[in-house]
Amino acid sequence: MASVEVSLKDAMTSVEGALGAAVVDYSSGMALGTLGGGKDLDLTVAAAGNTDVIRAKVRTMELLGLSGQIEDILITLESQYHLIRLVTGRSGNGLFLYLVLDKSRSNLAMARHQLKRIEEQLEV
């Protein structure tokens, strides 16, 4: 099992093209930890905003009567991928991992695979 800090370091070093990572509580929108980011990528603002994305998707699934759980949500920008992965372990209920990737330097399939591995090892 890995702590928030270890998980964020793992995401930034093992995922090619990673620009920033966060572990976020989507009931409050607060980031429990962030790593990376910068002037053009405020991870605390992104954490709060992506909380609304998850809430909207959960509401939509309920309205549509869709069963199952969200694994991840991908937002594709011109030069970046924003990957949101819900934490499913018993200690991670209500949390998600947020990873921002440089689109030109990353492999989306490998990033999803690595983020799943990191999510499975996260202990909060």
Side-chain angles (χ1 to χ4, degrees), residues 2-118:
S3 68
V4 169
E5 183 180 329
V6 169
S7 296
L8 292 172
K9 285 179 183 174
D10 190 6
M12 292 298 292
T13 58
S14 69
V15 180
E16 183 71 29
L19 300 173
V23 175
V24 185
D25 176 348
Y26 67 80
S27 61
S28 68
M30 302 255 322
L32 303 180
T34 63
L35 191 60
K39 173 176 68 93
D40 295 329
L41 180 58
D42 186 332
L43 291 170
T44 55
V45 172
N50 284 309
T51 295
D52 292 336
V53 171
I54 292 172
R55 289 179 185 158
K57 187 59 188 172
V58 168
R59 254 191 330 273
T60 302
M61 288 176 65
E62 288 171 356
L63 291 171
L64 293 172
L66 297 175
S67 60
Q69 294 183 343
I70 298 169
E71 287 183 13
D72 56 37
I73 298 171
L74 171 65
I75 300 168
T76 305
L77 303 178
E78 219 174 278
S79 63
Q80 296 175 345
Y81 293 123
H82 291 231
L83 191 55
I84 300 166
R85 175 140 190 117
L86 274 67
V87 178
T88 57
R90 62 184 163 80
S91 71
N93 194 23
L95 301 179
F96 67 91
L97 286 161
Y98 174 59
L99 183 63
V100 180
L101 303 166
D102 179 326
K103 196 173 179 181
S104 67
R105 295 185 0 220
S106 62
N107 177 322
L108 184 56
M110 285 304 297
R112 289 184 70 224
H113 176 74
Q114 289 291 78
L115 202 56
K116 181 179 190 286
R117 178 188 58 76
I118 293 166

